[in-house]
Amino acid sequence: VFSGKVPKDLPLTIAVYNQCWEIEYEAEIGPYSDDVVLDPIVASSNATSSLTGVLVDCDGAAVENGYVYVTGGPYLLVLDTDENGVFNWTGLLCQEVDLTLKGFDLDASLASDPINLNIPEEGADVDLGNVEVCNAITELIHIEIPELGYEKDMIIYVASYNTANGALSVFSDVDSTYLQMEFEATPNQIGDVDMNNFNFWDPNDPAVQNLYFFCQGPNGGNFGCPVADVTTNEGTGGLFEGSFDAMIGTEGQNGVDEYQVIVQFSVLLQ
C-alpha cells in the first residue's frame, strides 16, 4: 500500500521496480482532480528463483536446529530451518550466478558437503531434497571467559577481506549469538596482528546474557583491542587461524567492567 500527494489535473506515469531496479510494471494514469484509490496493481518478475530442501542427519532424521549458508557472487543468504529440517528461500538474484550451499547442524556441530549450483539470469526453482549433514566442523571459534565459567564453540558464516579498508572481518549471528572481529591482517600475513575491534554477545547463556563484550581500536584508549597471534593465513579460499588472550571491556547491568577473554579461531576465508 502506498499513498502521497501528486500534481492536480496532470497526466502521470506510475512505475513499479523490483529488487534489481528493473521496471516490472509501468502505466500512464490520471489526470485527477480529486483524491483517488487506484485499482490493485499486479506486478511479478519472471526471474524469481527459489531454493528448498531438508537438512537430515546421517540416519536420515530431520535436523531440528540448523541453518543453510549460501554464497556466490555478491550474494550471502542465511536460511534457518524449521523443526522438520526444512529450509526455503524465494527472491531475485538479478544475474546469472554460481552459488555454493552448505548446511549446518548447530546441536551436533556437523556440516554438509558443499553443494554447487548455477542459477541462470532468468531464474530457477531448485529443490535439493534431503541434504545430509554428517561432517565434523573444523572451522570454529572457541571462546572462553574463565571468571564467568563460560565456554562455547561458534560456527562462523562470514570470514573475508573487507575491500573497503583492507582488514579481515569475521562475523557470526547464528542462534542469536553475535560475534564480530576485525583484524589488520593483509593476505598471508602471520605472527602478531593488530585487531581493530571485537564484539560479542550471547543472550542464551545465563553466565553472560546480560553482558556485551567489546574492544575498540588496536591497543588504544579504554578497552583497546589486543594483538592476535595468527598462525595460519592462506588468503581467500584458505584457512585463517590463531588466538588471542586479553582483558576485554563489557557493558552490562552493573556498568562497565573487564573480563579475561580467550579466543581460538579457525575460519575459512570466503
Side-chain angles (χ1 to χ4, degrees):
V1 178
F2 62 91
S3 64
K5 296 180 179 180
V6 297
K8 185 177 181 180
D9 297 326
L10 289 176
L12 304 169
T13 301
I14 186 170
V16 178
Y17 291 80
N18 63 27
Q19 295 162 294
C20 305
W21 289 103
E22 299 167 334
I23 294 177
E24 294 288 347
Y25 174 88
E26 187 173 25
E28 299 294 329
I29 60 174
Y32 302 113
S33 57
D34 295 303
D35 293 345
V36 64
V37 177
L38 300 177
D39 292 333
I41 296 172
V42 178
S44 61
S45 173
N46 294 325
T48 300
S49 296
S50 66
L51 297 173
T52 187
V54 183
L55 295 189
V56 297
D57 63 19
C58 301
D59 298 320
V63 172
E64 297 180 0
N65 183 24
Y67 77 98
V68 175
Y69 173 40
V70 185
T71 58
Y75 303 107
L76 167 63
L77 307 174
V78 181
L79 314 178
D80 292 326
T81 60
D82 65 16
E83 66 275 9
N84 298 311
V86 176
F87 60 92
N88 289 287
W89 175 85
T90 300
L92 296 175
L93 292 174
C94 302
Q95 63 189 50
E96 180 180 1
V97 64
D98 292 319
L99 299 177
T100 299
L101 177 149
K102 198 170 184 179
F104 294 90
D105 183 337
L106 295 172
D107 292 334
S109 292
L110 297 174
S112 72
D113 290 329
I115 298 172
N116 296 318
L117 306 169
N118 175 265
I119 306 298
E121 185 174 358
E122 61 270 21
D125 296 320
V126 180
D127 186 347
L128 295 167
N130 288 347
V131 177
E132 284 195 343
V133 183
C134 297
N135 304 326
I137 298 173
T138 57
E139 297 87 34
L140 290 169
I141 288 189
H142 181 77
I143 299 178
E144 294 182 51
I145 306 170
E147 187 176 346
L148 300 174
Y150 178 84
E151 188 170 353
K152 185 168 187 173
D153 287 325
M154 293 191 64
I155 298 171
I156 305 305
Y157 68 68
V158 178
S160 62
Y161 280 99
N162 187 326
T163 55
N165 60 16
L168 189 149
S169 295
V170 177
F171 176 77
S172 180
D173 192 7
V174 176
D175 199 26
S176 300
T177 301
Y178 176 84
L179 170 78
Q180 197 266 340
M181 300 190 297
E182 189 174 272
F183 302 83
E184 280 293 336
T186 57
N188 307 115
Q189 178 185 355
I190 60 174
D192 290 346
V193 173
D194 286 337
M195 295 185 65
N196 282 337
N197 61 58
F198 173 85
N199 298 280
F200 176 68
W201 180 54
D202 183 353
N204 304 302
D205 193 302
V208 298
Q209 64 186 186
N210 295 317
L211 294 172
Y212 179 79
F213 295 81
F214 69 97
C215 67
Q216 298 173 327
N219 302 309
N222 294 328
F223 307 123
C225 291
V227 174
D229 178 19
V230 176
T231 56
T232 304
N233 185 356
E234 298 174 340
T236 301
L239 287 174
F240 180 72
E241 298 178 315
S243 62
F244 67 85
D245 179 348
M247 298 299 293
I248 299 293
T250 64
E251 290 181 353
Q253 291 179 339
N254 298 319
V256 178
D257 208 340
E258 279 186 301
Y259 291 95
Q260 181 191 25
V261 177
I262 303 169
V263 176
Q264 297 171 308
F265 49 88
S266 176
V267 299
L268 185 65
L269 299 180
Q270 304 296 323

